[in-house]
Amino acid sequence: MEETKLSVELNKTLIYIRDLDNCPPSYLNDPSRKEFFEIVWLKNENALHTVKGDELLKGDWIYLIPPYRVHQLNKAGKKGILLSFKRDILDDDVKEFLLDVFKIFNIQGEFSCLQISEETAGQLGKVYQLLEEEYQRENNSLVIIKALLKVFLLQLVRIKEHNFTVQDINEKRVYEFMVLLEMNYQQVRNTDFYAGKLGISSKRLNQILKEKLDKTGMQLIHDRIILEAKRQIIHSENTIKEISYDLGFTDRPYFSRFFKQHTGLSPEQFQNEAKAHIVAKFNTLF
């Protein structure tokens, strides 16, 4: 691979593709990296997050990490691929497709993870191979790259939606709640609204969420607000006061109390710890 490809400046590109064992520090430490959606496909590896039952399961795992993420993924020594792209590469696409993409990256909050079967890995691999081949061409076509990226993302949308809806009606309700939450959490922060949209009572919604996610609707709403607060504190140039207003808190001290209640830290303490962590261990999941 040409040296110019390895040292590509992220702020001047829309898409970035690498094998994980060939992912240089110039990418990992580039400030522009925060603007990218990241797809990390681990191949025949253990999961990097806690799996139900605390079992370490070996297989193919796809991590979908949104821009301005709180977490970073530890790629050290892992087999697989990294596919990163900016939102700009999709911006001329249809609204429904864009919403589907944003949903699969944010549906579980800080990152989404899919374990994929050998058959599904084979199907995705065919599309990825075409995408990588076009990307590596000296005179590659952005039109072709965008088309192949769209096919790859549509396959991920199908896998993600299947995982949420295949089991039972309540799995589907959880999925629909999380989609509604992603679109409305900054404006609407009561469980009644979401239950009404789903056509069930708040009590029933909380029962379902507690059964499937071990959290109530209000806890999930608060989790989503805290996640956005963390993202903005880490990545935004706004002051804590400006961030609190942006998140719908008209009282700055109330925002600080709310944040500390849910994280154990004041916004300022979290900001300082995050800065120190990024300097020391930028490429880790914390």
Side-chain angles (χ1 to χ4, degrees), residues 57-68:
L57 303 175
K58 204 157 195 176
D60 278 28
W61 302 87
I62 291 182
Y63 286 83
L64 305 171
I65 308 171
Y68 301 96

Side-chain angles (χ1 to χ4, degrees), residues 30-177:
D30 194 312
S32 298
R33 178 185 170 207
K34 67 181 182 292
E35 301 172 14
F36 282 71
F37 290 85
E38 287 186 351
I39 300 171
V40 177
W41 183 351
L42 302 181
K43 298 189 174 184
N44 195 29
E45 290 280 3
N46 290 328
L48 296 178
H49 67 300
T50 302
V51 181
K52 190 173 183 181
D54 294 325
E55 299 172 354
L56 283 177
L57 303 175
K58 204 157 195 176
D60 278 28
W61 302 87
I62 291 182
Y63 286 83
L64 305 171
I65 308 171
Y68 301 96
R69 73 283 292 182
V70 173
H71 288 78
Q72 302 296 342
L73 191 67
N74 185 355
K75 305 174 183 66
K78 301 299 179 183
K79 299 186 293 291
I81 59 173
L82 168 73
L83 168 57
S84 302
F85 61 92
K86 282 184 181 173
R87 174 176 178 163
D88 295 356
I89 202 170
L90 306 175
D91 267 353
D92 59 352
D93 230 305
V94 295
K95 182 179 178 181
E96 290 77 10
F97 169 65
L98 294 177
L99 183 58
D100 281 341
V101 171
F102 301 152
K103 285 190 302 192
I104 65 169
F105 275 87
N106 290 286
I107 197 69
Q108 292 176 329
E110 298 177 6
F111 63 85
S112 295
C113 179
L114 304 169
Q115 184 179 22
I116 57 175
S117 66
E118 185 176 342
E119 179 183 0
T120 302
Q123 294 169 350
L124 280 175
K126 292 175 184 177
V127 180
Y128 176 80
Q129 184 177 355
L130 292 172
L131 175 59
E132 184 186 31
E133 287 174 358
E134 185 61 32
Y135 175 81
Q136 298 295 350
R137 286 180 187 274
E138 187 173 346
N139 297 311
N140 59 32
S141 164
L142 184 60
V143 173
I144 295 175
I145 286 174
K146 288 174 68 172
L148 290 168
L149 175 62
K150 182 173 182 179
V151 173
F152 189 84
L153 291 171
L154 284 170
Q155 294 236 33
L156 290 179
V157 169
R158 177 189 290 171
I159 295 166
K160 185 72 175 178
E161 292 187 343
H162 176 75
N163 281 8
F164 268 93
T165 60
V166 70
Q167 295 185 29
D168 58 42
I169 184 63
N170 287 338
E171 291 282 355
K172 186 173 183 179
R173 283 170 172 163
V174 170
Y175 175 80
E176 290 173 345
F177 170 80

Side-chain angles (χ1 to χ4, degrees), residues 194-205:
Y194 298 99
K197 288 288 187 181
L198 297 174
I200 57 179
S201 68
S202 294
K203 181 179 179 181
R204 182 61 185 139
L205 175 59

